[in-house]
Structures are given as structure tokens and as C-alpha cells.
């Protein structure tokens, strides 16, 4: 089931062309946490908590957690999350770097909508290249990463959005990106 149902979704999220904005307004457990971690920017309500309960039910973590978590929070905190399987509150998750922002519960949705609106004003073609740069970096050597960055920068430098960004900077105005 993992190979045929769950993992294809994770791969689609990893390869998605636009930044993934995640807003968490409650408990985020097990595979749900793995899905949330695929987000590029993760917002959480103050009352939200995170927990990997696999060890409490006799399972091994899946959903890419053993690969992704050490890269996000380090090995010691990963082992704490997985082996102890205790709840991690939103403030602690923010402190650890597991999430990006914490908001009062009643303000979470508005904050997520505002951020989503802001992202739509960015150069979307370039955002796609940025996602590729950091996802690929996890498996690249330093030299491979430098080469990838040069390739992606070349692509970004040929976009209409780059030309618009430079023009707007010169004219001291906000850019109007079109995603091309």
C-alpha cells in the first residue's frame, strides 16, 4: 500500500512546480506529519501538535520520515520524535525548525491566505526552479549542486519575470510578475 498509494503522493508533492504552503490547525500524527513536512512553508496554530506514534504501535516510521527528519531537525531530535513518540507542541516545533510560523488559532487561516496571496505575486517560474534547487541539493555533492545552480540560474535569467524584476528595480517600483 505504501508503494502504490502513499509514496506516489509524496513524490508528486516533492516534484510539484509551485511552493507548497501548509497550514496545520490541530494534531498532526504519523503519515499526516510526513505529508505536512513536504510543505515549503509550514504554518501551525498555537494549539497544534506533532507526533510520530509508529514505535507505540509496533511499526517503523514511513512516509520518508527517517530520511527527511534528520535533514530538518537533526539526528538527536529525530530519534526523540520517533523513539519516544511524544507530542511536540507548535512552539517547540518552531524552535526545532520543524515548522516556520505559529499563529493564534483564530488567525491561522487568515495568515495562510495572506501568505498564499503574497506568493502569487512572486515570479512563479523562478519559484519552481528554487524548489528544484533545494530538493536536489539533498542528494547532490557540493560540485553537483554548484553545477545545478548554474543551470537553474541560466534558466531563470532567461525568463520574462527576471527582466521585469530588473526593470522594476531600476525604476524603483514593485515588479509585476507574470510567471513566464
Amino acid at each position: 500500500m505504501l508503494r502504490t498509494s502513499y509514496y506516489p503522493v509524496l513524490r508528486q508533492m516533492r516534484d510539484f512546480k509551485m511552493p507548497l504552503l501548509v497550514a496545520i490547525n490541530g494534531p498532526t500524527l504519523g503519515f499526516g506529519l510526513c505529508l505536512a513536512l513536504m510543505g515549503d512553508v509550514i504554518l501551525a496554530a498555537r494549539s497544534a501538535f506533532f507526533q510520530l506514534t509508529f514505535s507505540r504501535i509496533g511499526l517503523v516510521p514511513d512516509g520518508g520520515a527517517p530520511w527527511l527528519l534528520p535533514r530538518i531537525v537533526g539526528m538527536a531530535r529525530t530519534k526523540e520524535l520517533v523513539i519516544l513518540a511524544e507530542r511536540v507542541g507548535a512552539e517547540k516545533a518552531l524552535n526545532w525548525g520543524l515548522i516556520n510560523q505559529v499563529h493564534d488559532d483564530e488567525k491561522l487561516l487568515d495568515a495562510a491566505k495572506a501568505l498564499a496571496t503574497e506568493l502569487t505575486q512572486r515570479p512563479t517560474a523562478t519559484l519552481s526552479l528554487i524548489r528544484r534547487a533545494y530538493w536536489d541539493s539533498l542528494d547532490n555533492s557540493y560540485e553537483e549542486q554548484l553545477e545545478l545552480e548554474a543551470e537553474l540560474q541560466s534558466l531563470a535569467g532567461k525568463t520574462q519575470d527576471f527582466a521585469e524584476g530588473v526593470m522594476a528595480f531600476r525604476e524603483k517600483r514593485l515588479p509585476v510578475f507574470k510567471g513566464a
Side-chain angles (χ1 to χ4, degrees), residues 24 26-29 33 44-53 56 69 73 77-82 84-99 102:
I24 299 167
T28 307
L29 309 170
L33 175 54
R46 206 163 298 286
S47 64
F49 67 87
F50 307 87
Q51 189 173 18
L52 290 175
T53 57
R56 291 180 183 240
L69 279 170
V73 298
R77 288 180 172 151
T78 294
K79 290 187 281 187
E80 182 178 340
L81 276 166
V82 173
L84 300 181
E86 295 173 344
R87 289 183 179 188
V88 174
E91 292 293 339
K92 188 174 188 178
L94 178 64
N95 233 5
W96 283 10
L98 193 64
I99 62 174
V102 175

Side-chain angles (χ1 to χ4, degrees), residues 95-138:
N95 233 5
W96 283 10
L98 193 64
I99 62 174
N100 303 97
Q101 298 176 14
V102 175
H103 296 275
D104 292 333
D105 290 29
E106 66 278 1
K107 296 179 180 175
L108 175 66
L109 187 57
D110 288 339
K113 286 179 181 178
L115 186 53
T117 299
E118 180 184 332
L119 289 175
T120 65
Q121 306 304 312
R122 300 282 177 91
T124 55
T126 302
L127 292 177
S128 177
L129 297 174
I130 291 169
R131 283 194 97 238
R132 182 172 165 212
Y134 64 73
W135 273 105
D136 287 3
S137 76
L138 297 171

